[in-house]
């Protein structure tokens, strides 16, 4: 046999799905290196034993024969991989095992960090968008831990934004790899990276994982009796506020949506629209103390700029819970405090008299009988979409999202990621979805982290939602161009048999579910 020969080999029972689907989806040629001859023999024996399986039930694997010198008992290089994609995690684990690494796998960032501290690996392979602690924060935590000095960090992601690549390198990652992985490249990268590290540098003492604040339940009834979901748009513009005569009908305030859910007040983003949301609450409740739950998709200006003007935050007795993720390099609280630094604003965050709680999300949040779940979006930095469920009704808020296929190409890998967003919106009564550009405008804004109205329609159709509201209007779109977009949407829907309702969201508009 020679290098690169194709063989039909036996794949252990716990791997076939991952192996098959990954190979098929990404057209990967899985490089399995049999390190020692005996491994190869066992492969062949396994294939013979597999005679009960139907013909063609095996998987064609490119078996690169590289007979490596025996290790003479030297320990294998140790790798921790943290990735929430079951297929990718399994295939990397299997592949790196075959390449001669000892691999420890974790399905989220918290477990990944724990394994790094416990197993003292030589290198770590981090996904960026994973549950509990995202890859940016894990990378930063590793680099801030003197016990983990010198650990070789590979960050891999389907995200391809230059800003993210720059950020992970600033945080101390050694290499950024685009997913899906080429296992040969990954193995070579790890080997090269590890060999440059002095052995003593990886001897880390055991350190227990840092305590993480769990998402907390806060529920104090205040709103009028109402068991339905009520949605009010306070700001529907993207990027920058656009007041003026050309935007009178749809409005010019940036992102902010209020959802009244049973007895709870939920806000999504605090762009310039949140100022009027606050004024509305004062008119309605006067001095009654309010619990307010503010979910922040991400902390780009157009989503937080109204916060210093949110009057309820200045009123003693009000309780303000602010939910989002740990930033790429600083805590959520520090981001909000920084925005009100005296360089930028005359009033300090500590001058706001409401009671604040900053909650970095790790999972679903339960507020009374309302559940809020989140999903990662494709946008530079960390950005979230939210889904509110209450009394059988649901609202999904997905803004600042560029469909993966736009950047990664039309392939199974990008479709899977786009499908996850559609699944998140599955059956929503109201789908608030960004539609910043037209198809004509998109090419000159590619990789800015936004999509088009067609993307919104296709996602709404795939998710079988009841109503779609186009959101995050481009600052260049005046009322008339938004009307034209809605007209184009209706034509596209007719031509493609789409039956949900479709509107463009406008400031101050209210929807009851
Ligand atoms: Zn935005
Ligand atoms: Zn943004």
């Amino acid at each position: 046999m020679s290098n690169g020969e194709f063989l039909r080999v036996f794949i252990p029972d716990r791997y076939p799905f991952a192996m098959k689907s990954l190979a098929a989806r990404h057209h990967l040629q899985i490089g399995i290196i049999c390190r020692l001859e005996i491994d190869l023999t066992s492969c062949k024996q396994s294939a013979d034993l597999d005679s009960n399986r139907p013909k063609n039930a095996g998987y064609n694997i490119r078996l690169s024969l590289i007979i490596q010198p025996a290790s003479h008992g030297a320990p294998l290089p140790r790798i921790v991989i943290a990735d929430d994609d079951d297929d990718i995690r399994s295939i990397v684990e299997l592949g790196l095992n075959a390449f001669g690494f000892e691999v420890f796998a974790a399905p989220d960032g918290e477990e990944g960090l724990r394994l790094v501290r416990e197993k003292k690996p030589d290198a770590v392979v981090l996904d960026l968008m994973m549950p509990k602690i995202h890859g940016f924060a894990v990378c930063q935590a590793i680099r801030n831990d003197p016990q983990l000095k010198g650990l070789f960090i590979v960050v891999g992601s389907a995200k391809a934004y230059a800003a993210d690549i720059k950020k992970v390198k600033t945080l101390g990652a050694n290499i950024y790899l685009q997913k899906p992985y080429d296992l040969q490249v990954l193995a070579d990268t790890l080997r090269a990276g590890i060999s440059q590290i002095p052995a003593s540098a990886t001897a880390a003492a055991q350190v227990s994982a840092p305590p993480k604040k769990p998402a907390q339940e806060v529920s104090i009834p205040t709103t009028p009796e109402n068991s339905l979901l009520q949605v009010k748009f306070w700001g529907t513009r993207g990027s920058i506020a656009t007041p003026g005569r050309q935007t009178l009908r749809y409005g010019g305030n940036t992102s902010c949506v209020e959802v009244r859910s049973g007895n709870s007040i939920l806000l999504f983003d605090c762009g310039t629209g949140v100022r009027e949301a606050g004024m509305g609450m004062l008119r309605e409740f006067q001095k009654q103390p309010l619990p307010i739950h503010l979910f922040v998709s991400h902390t780009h200006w157009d989503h937080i700029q109204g916060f210093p003007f949110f009057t309820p935050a200045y009123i003693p007795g009000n309780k303000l819970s602010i939910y989002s993720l740990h930033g790429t390099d600083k805590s959520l609280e520090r981001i909000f405090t920084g925005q009100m630094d005296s360089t930028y604003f005359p009033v300090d965050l500590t001058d706001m008299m409401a009671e604040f709680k900053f909650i970095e999300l790790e999972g679903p949040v339960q507020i009374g009988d309302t559940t809020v779940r989140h999903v990662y979006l494709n946008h530079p930095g960390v950005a979230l979409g939210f889904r509110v469920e209450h009394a059988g009704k649901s609202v999904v808020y997905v803004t600042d999202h560029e469909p993966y296929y736009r950047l990664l190409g039309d392939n199974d890998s990008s479709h899977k990621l786009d499908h996850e967003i559609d699944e998140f919106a599955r059956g929503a009564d109201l789908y608030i979805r960004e539609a910043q550009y037209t198809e004509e405008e998109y090419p000159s804004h590619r990789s800015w982290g936004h999509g088009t109205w067609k993307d919104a329609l296709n996602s709404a159709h795939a998710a079988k939602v009841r109503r779609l509201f186009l959101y995050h209007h481009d600052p260049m779109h005046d009322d008339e161009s938004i009307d034209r977009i809605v007209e184009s949407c209706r034509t596209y829907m007719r031509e493609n048999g789409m039956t949900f309702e479709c509107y463009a969201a406008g400031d101050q508009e209210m929807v009851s579910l």
Side-chain angles (χ1 to χ4, degrees):
M1 277 181 277
S2 57
N3 276 2
E5 184 171 346
F6 273 99
L7 286 182
R8 184 173 294 275
V9 298
F10 175 79
I11 306 299
D13 274 339
R14 67 191 175 102
Y15 292 123
F17 176 74
M19 177 69 84
K20 191 178 102 180
S21 61
L22 207 78
R25 281 213 307 270
H26 308 315
H27 310 289
L28 284 181
Q29 291 182 331
I30 310 295
I32 302 286
I33 292 182
C34 287
R35 290 189 321 108
L36 301 168
E37 221 166 331
I38 188 141
D39 291 342
L40 180 64
T41 312
S42 66
C43 282
K44 285 168 77 180
Q45 282 174 347
S46 299
D48 293 340
L49 289 171
D50 196 26
S51 55
N52 289 337
R53 302 184 69 187
K55 245 186 161 187
N56 301 324
Y59 311 114
N60 282 322
I61 309 295
R62 182 183 288 279
L63 183 64
S64 301
L65 283 179
I66 296 179
I67 309 300
Q68 298 189 338
S71 60
H72 302 297
L76 300 176
R78 292 151 70 86
I79 309 293
V80 165
I81 171 171
D83 199 307
D84 62 327
D85 185 310
D86 295 341
D87 286 348
I88 290 179
R89 200 174 59 251
S90 299
I91 203 73
V92 169
E93 188 180 4
L94 172 68
L96 290 184
N97 271 328
F99 274 101
F101 294 90
E102 187 177 3
V103 183
F104 306 95
D108 59 59
E110 189 178 66
E111 175 67 3
L113 194 53
R114 192 192 66 74
L115 279 179
V116 164
R117 287 175 164 146
E118 181 192 313
K119 302 293 182 187
K120 309 164 197 165
D122 300 288
V124 60
V125 180
L126 297 174
D127 182 26
L128 269 189
M129 304 288 101
M130 8 176 216
K132 299 200 174 169
I133 308 178
H134 55 63
F136 292 105
V138 176
C139 186
Q140 191 180 32
I142 290 172
R143 284 299 179 241
N144 286 342
D145 188 338
Q147 312 263 23
L148 300 175
K149 229 178 179 160
L151 181 66
F152 187 72
I153 302 178
V154 176
V155 171
S157 177
K159 294 182 85 197
Y161 295 110
D164 292 332
I165 296 169
K166 200 167 154 199
K167 175 55 81 179
V168 295
K169 296 218 166 141
T170 313
L171 292 174
N174 297 85
I175 300 278
Y176 185 96
L177 290 180
Q178 180 79 49
K179 286 210 285 194
Y181 296 116
D182 177 321
L183 286 176
Q184 180 75 56
V185 171
L186 180 60
D188 290 348
T189 304
L190 288 169
R191 240 179 247 292
I194 290 168
S195 64
Q196 286 167 14
I197 298 169
S200 59
T202 60
Q206 287 211 10
V207 181
S208 59
K212 277 295 285 185
K213 274 192 287 183
Q216 298 189 31
E217 187 176 325
V218 185
S219 176
I220 302 174
T222 56
T223 53
E225 289 301 308
N226 191 344
S227 62
L228 299 175
L229 281 174
Q230 279 198 331
V231 177
K232 185 155 184 178
F233 294 98
W234 291 103
T236 56
R237 192 62 56 172
S239 308
I240 191 165
T242 51
R245 290 169 187 230
Q246 312 300 314
T247 55
L248 282 180
R249 281 188 292 117
Y250 289 101
N253 275 317
T254 65
S255 304
C256 180
V257 175
E258 180 179 351
V259 177
R260 294 285 177 86
S261 173
N263 290 325
S264 303
I265 303 174
L266 279 55
L267 283 170
F268 292 86
D269 284 333
C270 48
T272 61
V274 84
R275 188 187 75 85
E276 299 207 31
M279 303 301 285
M281 287 173 200
L282 292 187
R283 280 195 298 274
E284 186 177 342
F285 299 106
Q286 282 132 32
K287 291 190 174 160
Q288 186 181 344
L290 294 178
I292 299 164
H293 302 269
L294 169 60
F295 290 83
V296 180
S297 66
H298 63 308
T299 53
H300 286 161
W301 271 359
D302 50 327
H303 299 258
I304 61 166
Q305 203 170 11
F307 183 75
F309 298 91
F310 183 53
T311 316
Y314 291 86
I315 299 176
N318 285 347
K319 293 185 175 182
L320 192 53
S321 305
I322 302 172
Y323 308 82
S324 191
L325 290 182
H326 192 88
T328 54
D329 62 356
K330 52 179 88 68
S331 71
L332 181 61
E333 183 166 1
R334 249 188 85 196
I335 294 169
F336 272 80
T337 309
Q339 173 177 227
M340 296 182 73
D341 180 274
S342 61
T343 311
Y344 310 112
F345 198 69
V347 179
D348 198 84
L349 187 82
T350 54
D351 294 329
M352 292 177 135
M353 301 306 289
E355 188 183 312
F356 282 87
K357 202 177 278 177
F358 288 91
I359 297 153
E360 295 180 349
L361 289 167
E362 291 183 351
V365 177
Q366 194 68 36
I367 301 164
D369 47 8
T370 300
T371 309
V372 183
R373 293 191 288 123
H374 67 267
V375 69
Y376 282 113
L377 302 178
N378 194 33
H379 195 65
V382 282
L384 297 177
F386 296 104
R387 182 181 179 112
V388 183
E389 285 175 348
H390 171 75
K393 299 283 181 188
S394 52
V395 176
V396 172
Y397 180 81
V398 170
T399 187
D400 295 59
H401 173 66
E402 187 166 16
Y404 289 94
Y405 83 89
R406 295 247 179 215
L407 296 179
L408 303 179
D410 238 332
N411 54 49
D412 292 344
S413 171
S414 61
H415 289 171
K416 181 193 170 201
L417 293 164
D418 287 328
H419 180 67
E420 280 171 15
I421 304 296
D422 300 341
E423 277 307 304
F424 186 74
R426 171 72 51 203
D429 294 287
L430 177 57
Y431 188 20
I432 302 164
R433 162 84 185 213
E434 88 131 82
Q436 181 141 354
Y437 302 123
T438 62
E439 292 301 316
E440 295 71 37
E441 290 163 342
Y442 176 79
S444 54
H445 300 87
R446 189 175 179 275
S447 85
W448 288 25
H450 300 284
T452 71
W453 56 260
K454 263 192 198 171
D455 292 326
L457 291 181
N458 290 334
S459 176
H461 183 57
K464 293 193 164 50
V465 304
R466 264 187 60 208
R467 275 183 221 175
L468 169 69
F469 272 76
L470 308 176
Y471 189 70
H472 207 268
H473 308 305
D474 190 82
M476 298 303 285
H477 293 172
D478 58 15
D479 287 335
E480 259 114 71
S481 32
I482 295 177
D483 283 342
R484 279 197 297 277
I485 286 173
V486 174
E487 204 49 50
S488 306
C489 285
R490 302 243 161 98
T491 307
Y492 184 78
M493 289 173 66
R494 267 197 307 279
E495 289 169 357
N496 291 279
M498 299 179 175
T499 52
F500 50 86
E501 297 169 38
C502 172
Y503 310 93
D507 294 4
Q508 316 265 338
E509 198 171 347
M510 193 136 84
V511 186
S512 288
L513 300 172

